[in-house]
Amino acid sequence: MSIEIANEAGVGVDEASIVAVARFALDRMGVSPLAELSVLLVDLDVMADLHERWMDLPGPTDVMAFPMDELDSARRPDAAGVGPALLGDIVLCPAFAKDQARKAGHGLLEELHLLTVHGVLHLLGYDHAEPAEEREMFTLQNRILADYREAKESATRAAAQRSNDDRVLGAVGLVEEEDKPAPPDTDAG
């Protein structure tokens, strides 16, 4: 799966984490590993321009999703098929999201994860214009985010356990010779 990210927002964020949550959401939705996605982080002025131009709404917003026009409209991008699917672009505005994160009581990165998953679902045809659609989309969004957090915590626990195991095995001399660090150079001459 090809996910390109460009940060033109002037705000430092963990771009790898945004790519990871996008990849997790696409995998969870059964999107082909040949799919291509672009994520762009922009400042308030650029987002306001996009929001006004494409949605005819004033001011900036948090996330916009632009599905590829060339996509075969008879085939959803998450449908099985041959060849790469150009899903489209997700545009995030960290400056706008920062205030939302504060109001929601969590950090900017968590808000950007939520917005990334939200954008992915829009690219896959989900919407929230009607109450039933909103319920379906937000339930799915929340489930994907919860599963992502759980998978990330599980991976962190497993890495910590491996590190502890290696330390114990090294202490009792059960670490492979090539895994042992080289002795310090004590040659004084």
Coordinates of all heavy atoms in Angstrom, one line a residue, residues 25 31 36 49 59 67 74 77 91 98 108 128 137 142 155 157-158 169:
A25 N -6.4 1.7 9.0 CA -7.8 1.9 8.6 C -8.0 1.2 7.2 O -9.0 0.5 7.1 CB -8.1 3.3 8.6
V31 N -9.1 -2.8 2.0 CA -8.6 -2.1 0.8 C -7.4 -2.9 0.2 O -6.5 -3.3 1.0 CB -8.3 -0.6 1.1 CG1 -7.7 0.0 -0.2 CG2 -9.6 0.1 1.5
E36 N -3.4 3.4 -3.5 CA -2.5 4.5 -3.3 C -3.3 5.7 -2.6 O -4.5 5.9 -3.0 CB -1.9 5.0 -4.6 CG -1.1 4.0 -5.3 CD -0.6 4.4 -6.7 OE1 -0.8 5.6 -7.0 OE2 -0.1 3.5 -7.4
D49 N -9.1 28.2 1.8 CA -9.3 28.3 0.4 C -9.9 27.0 -0.2 O -10.8 27.1 -1.0 CB -7.9 28.6 -0.3 CG -8.0 28.7 -1.8 OD1 -8.8 29.5 -2.3 OD2 -7.3 27.9 -2.5
G59 N -14.3 29.9 5.6 CA -13.3 29.5 6.6 C -12.7 28.2 6.5 O -13.1 27.3 5.7
P67 N -11.8 12.2 -3.3 CA -11.7 10.9 -4.0 C -11.2 11.2 -5.4 O -11.4 12.2 -6.0 CB -13.1 10.3 -4.0 CG -13.9 11.2 -3.1 CD -13.2 12.5 -2.9
A74 N -18.1 2.3 -10.8 CA -18.9 1.0 -10.6 C -18.2 0.1 -9.6 O -18.8 -0.8 -9.1 CB -19.0 0.3 -12.0
P77 N -13.4 1.5 -4.1 CA -11.9 1.2 -3.9 C -11.6 0.1 -2.9 O -10.5 -0.4 -2.9 CB -11.4 2.6 -3.4 CG -12.6 3.4 -3.0 CD -13.8 2.8 -3.7
V91 N -6.8 15.8 3.2 CA -6.1 17.1 3.5 C -6.5 17.4 5.0 O -7.7 17.5 5.3 CB -6.6 18.3 2.6 CG1 -5.8 19.5 3.0 CG2 -6.3 17.9 1.2
K98 N -5.9 21.4 16.3 CA -5.3 21.7 17.7 C -6.4 22.2 18.6 O -6.5 21.7 19.8 CB -4.2 22.7 17.5 CG -3.4 22.8 18.8 CD -2.2 23.7 18.5 CE -1.3 23.8 19.8 NZ -0.1 24.7 19.5
L108 N -3.1 16.6 20.1 CA -3.2 16.9 18.6 C -3.0 15.6 17.8 O -3.8 15.4 16.9 CB -2.1 17.9 18.2 CG -2.0 18.2 16.7 CD1 -3.4 18.7 16.2 CD2 -0.9 19.2 16.4
H128 N -21.9 11.3 6.4 CA -22.6 11.6 7.6 C -23.6 12.7 7.4 O -23.9 13.4 8.4 CB -21.6 11.8 8.8 CG -20.6 12.8 8.5 ND1 -20.8 14.2 8.6 CD2 -19.3 12.7 8.1 CE1 -19.7 14.8 8.3 NE2 -18.8 13.9 8.0
M137 N -21.0 5.6 10.1 CA -19.7 6.1 9.9 C -18.9 6.3 11.2 O -17.8 5.9 11.3 CB -19.7 7.4 9.1 CG -18.3 7.9 8.7 SD -18.4 9.3 7.6 CE -16.7 9.7 7.4
N142 N -14.9 5.0 15.2 CA -14.5 4.8 16.6 C -14.0 3.4 16.8 O -13.0 3.2 17.6 CB -15.7 5.0 17.6 CG -16.1 6.5 17.6 OD1 -15.2 7.4 17.3 ND2 -17.3 6.8 18.0
A155 N 1.6 -4.0 20.7 CA 3.0 -4.0 20.1 C 4.0 -3.4 21.1 O 5.1 -3.9 21.2 CB 3.0 -3.3 18.8
R157 N 3.8 -3.4 24.4 CA 4.0 -4.4 25.5 C 4.9 -5.5 25.0 O 5.8 -6.0 25.7 CB 2.6 -4.9 25.9 CG 1.9 -4.0 26.9 CD 0.7 -4.7 27.5 NE -0.2 -5.3 26.6 CZ -1.3 -4.7 26.0 NH1 -1.5 -3.5 26.3 NH2 -2.0 -5.4 25.2
A158 N 4.7 -6.0 23.8 CA 5.5 -7.1 23.2 C 6.9 -6.7 23.1 O 7.8 -7.5 23.4 CB 4.9 -7.6 21.9
L169 N 18.1 -13.0 29.7 CA 18.9 -14.0 29.0 C 20.4 -13.6 29.0 O 21.3 -14.5 29.1 CB 18.4 -14.3 27.6 CG 17.0 -15.0 27.6 CD1 16.5 -15.0 26.1 CD2 17.0 -16.4 28.2

